[in-house]
């Protein structure tokens, strides 16, 4: 099975990996079929864990390779492409945050962000919030596999697979973060699940865009890697960490973040 995956076209590998991350989002959303509520401490721990995975992935799988590629790319400083891409990633997500109408889980409707339409649905706003977070995650998976396909010595297929596994694991609480609030609001289990898993559909799309950009325009590779890293760090600091601590479980969320970071670091270094 492993050998079969290794022989596949990079685009197909990327699609399979991103479908896995989408499937993990659906798995998290599927918890509505077993319960109506989830312990708040458990949710905060899962969100903290997700934040740790994303921070570790941003450096070990994206920024570090971007810096190494930049060092051998041109006469410009090695840090320049990584710095530019990283900041552009944050600026992109910040702009999207101001434009795209969305509502963070557990927030009241009057705290909805972005440009608000006249008719607003809580379900749609919740899905858009998590969808916005999934864009950089899908992009990260795509550019990681694209770097391997381009023959970069700083990238490895095992490292790209480790990144996909890490993104998939941290997608579990994201699926729950949409489906569970909707279930508490009175939506049926089926609708809550469908809305929850729908938020992960953007990942295969973003991943395919990422792998195509990197393989077709190889010089942008360090920019693309660091762009995905910057976008993910913005998501972690703007939403994931604050969301994991707003109910008072700060120590639990912080330790869970460290555990997530450690596991993702081990995965990336051991497999990469």
């Amino acid at each position: 099975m492993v050998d079969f995956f290794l022989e596949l076209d990079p685009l197909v590998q990327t699609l399979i990996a991103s479908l896995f991350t989408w499937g993990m989002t659906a798995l998290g959303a599927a918890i509505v079929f077993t319960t109506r509520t989830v312990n708040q401490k458990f949710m905060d721990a899962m969100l903290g864990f997700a934040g740790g995975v994303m921070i570790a992935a941003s450096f070990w799988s994206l920024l570090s390779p971007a810096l190494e590629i930049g060092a051998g790319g041109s006469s410009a400083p090695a840090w320049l492409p990584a710095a530019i891409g990283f900041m552009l990633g944050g600026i992109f997500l910040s702009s999207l945050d101001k434009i795209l109408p969305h509502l963070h889980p557990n927030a009241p409707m009057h705290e909805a962000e972005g440009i608000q339409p006249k008719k607003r649905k809580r379900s749609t706003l919740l899905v858009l919030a998590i969808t916005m977070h999934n864009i950089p995650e899908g992009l990260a998976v795509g550019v990681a596999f694209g770097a391997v396909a381009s023959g970069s010595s700083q990238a490895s297929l095992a490292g790209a697979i480790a990144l996909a596994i890490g993104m998939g694991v941290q997608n579990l609480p994201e699926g729950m973060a949409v489906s569970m609030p909707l279930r508490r609001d009175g939506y049926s289990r089926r609708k809550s699940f469908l809305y929850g898993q729908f938020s992960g559909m953007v990942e295969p799309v973003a991943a395919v865009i990422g792998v195509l950009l990197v393989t077709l325009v190889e010089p942008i590779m360090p920019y693309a890697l660091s762009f995905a890293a910057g976008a993910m760090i913005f998501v972690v600091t703007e939403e994931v960490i604050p969301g994991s601590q707003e109910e008072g479980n700060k120590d639990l969320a912080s330790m869970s973040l460290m555990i997530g970071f450690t596991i993702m670091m081990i995965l990336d270094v051991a497999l990469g």
Side-chain angles (χ1 to χ4, degrees):
M1 186 67 179
V2 175
D3 291 337
F4 173 74
F5 183 81
L6 296 177
E7 294 172 359
L8 293 174
D9 181 85
L11 184 60
V12 178
Q13 291 176 340
T14 303
L15 191 58
I16 292 173
S18 57
L19 286 174
F20 163 75
T21 61
W22 176 16
M24 293 295 281
T25 304
L27 185 61
I31 198 170
V32 294
F33 292 114
T34 62
T35 182
R36 190 184 182 93
T37 59
V38 174
N39 183 275
Q40 188 61 50
K41 286 187 176 181
F42 175 74
M43 275 296 295
D44 291 344
M46 288 293 286
L47 282 173
F49 180 87
V53 168
M54 293 174 73
I55 293 172
S58 296
F59 177 75
W60 297 101
S61 299
L62 299 170
L63 267 182
S64 182
L67 286 166
E68 292 180 14
I69 293 170
S74 66
S75 57
W79 51 263
L80 187 61
I84 292 174
F86 186 80
M87 290 305 302
L88 286 177
I91 292 169
F92 171 75
L93 257 292
S94 177
S95 301
L96 201 61
D97 192 58
K98 291 179 174 62
I99 296 171
L100 189 70
H102 62 282
L103 178 70
H104 298 304
N106 300 320
M109 281 295 287
H110 69 268
E111 292 184 6
E113 301 176 18
I115 300 173
Q116 298 299 311
K118 291 182 179 180
K119 294 183 178 180
R120 304 185 303 171
K121 274 191 170 184
R122 181 177 178 83
S123 57
T124 303
L125 294 176
L126 281 171
V127 171
L128 287 174
I130 303 300
T131 298
M132 183 171 66
H133 296 177
N134 285 338
I135 292 174
E137 295 166 16
L139 185 64
V141 172
V143 297
F145 277 94
V148 177
S150 298
S152 171
S153 59
Q154 289 77 26
S156 70
L157 183 58
I161 293 172
L163 176 63
I165 292 172
M167 291 297 97
V169 170
Q170 68 89 37
N171 274 354
L172 277 167
E174 291 191 349
M176 294 166 55
V178 176
S179 63
M180 294 310 298
L182 292 179
R183 181 63 181 147
R184 287 195 296 268
D185 289 346
Y187 282 75
S188 68
R189 285 187 170 89
R190 180 176 173 274
K191 280 191 174 181
S192 298
F193 166 74
L194 288 176
Y195 281 126
Q197 64 83 32
F198 184 79
S199 64
M201 289 180 65
V202 70
E203 291 204 18
V205 177
V208 168
I209 291 173
V211 71
L212 288 177
L213 281 175
V214 171
T215 52
L216 295 177
V217 192
E218 191 171 335
I220 72 166
M221 191 187 305
Y223 298 94
L225 288 165
S226 53
F227 180 93
M232 284 210 294
I233 290 296
F234 180 88
V235 168
V236 172
T237 55
E238 195 270 341
E239 171 56 22
V240 177
I241 292 178
S244 69
Q245 300 187 354
E246 62 187 7
E247 297 297 327
N249 299 311
K250 294 185 178 181
D251 287 349
L252 175 64
S254 298
M255 286 305 301
S256 298
L257 184 146
M258 295 183 70
I259 292 170
F261 183 97
T262 302
I263 290 176
M264 186 62 208
M265 177 182 67
I266 292 171
L267 270 176
D268 191 89
V269 175
L271 296 181

